[in-house]
């Protein structure tokens, strides 16, 4: 597949579910905020189209239009694609692991919890970029969908808990912001968990999202019980379930020739 510039894109509604919750908002987010990368089998009249942002990939179209080698840019990522893409995906990577996912939509009002003494919950501004960039190990992913800490700080789509020294203790943001739904992500410093900070940040963020005339959504793995519990206690309710695939390293095509392809008709294969 070849990279496309946004100006080369066909109408998104021809390829993706527009105005849907969860990571379905990724294409709208990428187009509106200049994040991620677009791919197609060809620039004119594409037969297969993909958008990748922050390790998430939405792949649509005709799988016959792509080869396993052309999917190599989506290695070590999370791919959502129709069932018909399984054979070519299976031939592209050394592993393809199904991951059951759940999408929640904010339905119930929740009272804002008072933060601990010395902690302030507020909207993140452009001046907070340095604080967002110097948080705790393993937390960089929270701003990946905005191209980095500066992008998230300037977006107006984040709320954080700050201590008296201006350090970020917890942050919630609209990870993928579409026209109808904004999918929420949250991260909290290990030393400050179980203090209600994530709850307070998410509650404040959902209020901001509602004020923009949109609805907050929440996506997580089925086996991520802490995330599911936080979603429920902050007013989110289950909307749908689906399966995406975690990809491994690109498979050398000499090895792919002898690898059995996934059988889309097998009852053991989860449906997308």
């Amino acid at each position: 597949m070849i990279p496309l510039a946004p100006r080369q894109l066909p109408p998104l509604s021809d390829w993706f579910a527009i105005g849907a919750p969860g990571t379905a908002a990724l294409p709208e987010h990428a187009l509106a905020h200049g994040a991620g990368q677009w791919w197609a089998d060809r620039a004119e009249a594409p037969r297969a189209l993909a958008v990748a942002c922050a390790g998430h990939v939405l792949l649509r179209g005709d799988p016959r239009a792509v080869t396993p080698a052309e999917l190599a840019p989506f290695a070590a990522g999370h791919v959502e694609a129709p069932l018909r893409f399984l054979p070519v995906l299976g031939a592209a990577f050394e592993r393809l692991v199904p991951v059951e996912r759940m999408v929640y939509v904010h339905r119930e009002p929740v009272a804002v919890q008072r933060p601990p003494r010395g902690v302030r919950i507020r909207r993140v501004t452009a001046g907070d970029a340095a604080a967002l960039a110097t948080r705790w190990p393993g937390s960089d992913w929270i701003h990946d969908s905005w191209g980095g800490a500066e992008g998230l700080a300037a977006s107006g789509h984040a709320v954080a808990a700050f201590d008296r020294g201006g350090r970020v203790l917890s942050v919630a943001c609209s990870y993928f912001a579409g026209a109808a739904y904004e999918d929420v992500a949250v991260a909290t410093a290990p030393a400050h968990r179980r203090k209600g900070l994530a709850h307070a940040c998410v509650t404040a963020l959902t209020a901001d999202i509602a004020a923009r005339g949109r609805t907050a959504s929440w996506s997580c793995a089925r086996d991520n019980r802490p995330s599911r519990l936080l979603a429920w206690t902050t007013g989110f309710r289950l909307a749908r379930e689906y399966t995406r695939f975690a990809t491994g390293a690109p498979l050398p095509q000499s090895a792919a020739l002898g690898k059995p392809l996934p059988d889309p008709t097998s009852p053991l294969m989860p449906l997308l």
Side-chain angles (χ1 to χ4, degrees):
M1 302 182 82
I2 61 173
L4 290 185
R7 58 181 171 76
Q8 296 175 288
L9 292 174
L12 288 190
S13 58
D14 292 348
W15 294 84
F16 302 103
I18 303 302
T23 53
L26 189 161
E28 297 172 80
H29 174 86
L31 188 60
H33 301 289
Q37 177 63 61
W38 299 88
W39 303 83
D41 64 306
R42 59 192 185 192
E44 297 294 329
R47 297 163 297 170
L49 185 67
V51 56
C53 183
H56 299 262
V57 181
L58 270 61
L59 175 63
R60 299 292 187 269
D62 185 352
R64 296 171 298 181
V66 297
T67 66
E70 290 176 315
L71 299 179
F74 309 141
H78 302 280
V79 178
E80 298 176 32
L83 187 63
R84 60 184 177 271
F85 276 93
L86 284 181
V88 69
L89 285 168
F93 306 105
E94 63 180 12
R95 65 179 177 85
L96 193 66
V97 181
V99 180
E100 295 181 337
R101 302 276 296 175
M102 310 181 80
V103 176
Y104 295 81
V105 171
H106 196 257
R107 301 292 190 199
E108 304 293 335
V110 175
V112 177
Q113 293 185 354
R114 178 176 296 179
R117 184 183 298 274
V119 176
R120 182 186 179 194
I121 308 293
R122 64 168 175 81
R123 186 179 301 151
V124 173
T125 68
D128 297 316
L132 281 180
T134 56
R135 294 187 317 280
W136 52 94
S139 62
D140 287 348
W141 66 271
I142 195 69
H143 50 59
D144 282 352
S145 65
W146 291 92
E150 289 188 5
L152 177 58
S155 72
H157 286 71
V159 169
F162 295 85
D163 67 8
R164 288 193 177 99
R167 292 176 300 180
V168 174
L169 309 180
S170 181
V171 57
C173 71
S174 299
Y175 207 64
F176 297 125
Y181 290 93
E182 298 187 20
D183 205 47
V184 172
V186 61
T188 303
H192 295 278
R193 291 172 184 169
R194 301 182 182 275
K195 297 180 180 180
L197 299 182
H199 189 287
C201 288
V202 170
T203 301
L205 179 63
T206 56
D208 271 4
I209 293 171
R212 288 192 283 271
R214 300 169 181 168
T215 302
S217 66
W218 185 285
S219 304
C220 66
R222 174 186 280 275
D223 61 3
N224 190 341
R225 188 175 183 277
S227 182
R228 293 172 58 187
L229 181 60
L230 180 58
W232 182 267
T233 58
T234 51
F236 292 82
R237 298 296 180 262
L238 184 64
R240 71 180 182 96
E241 301 180 47
Y242 70 101
T243 301
R244 74 180 183 191
F245 289 86
T247 61
L251 188 65
Q253 291 311 294
S254 58
L257 291 175
K259 181 183 179 183
L261 297 180
D263 179 5
T265 65
S266 170
L268 298 179
M269 290 304 301
L271 296 179
L272 296 178

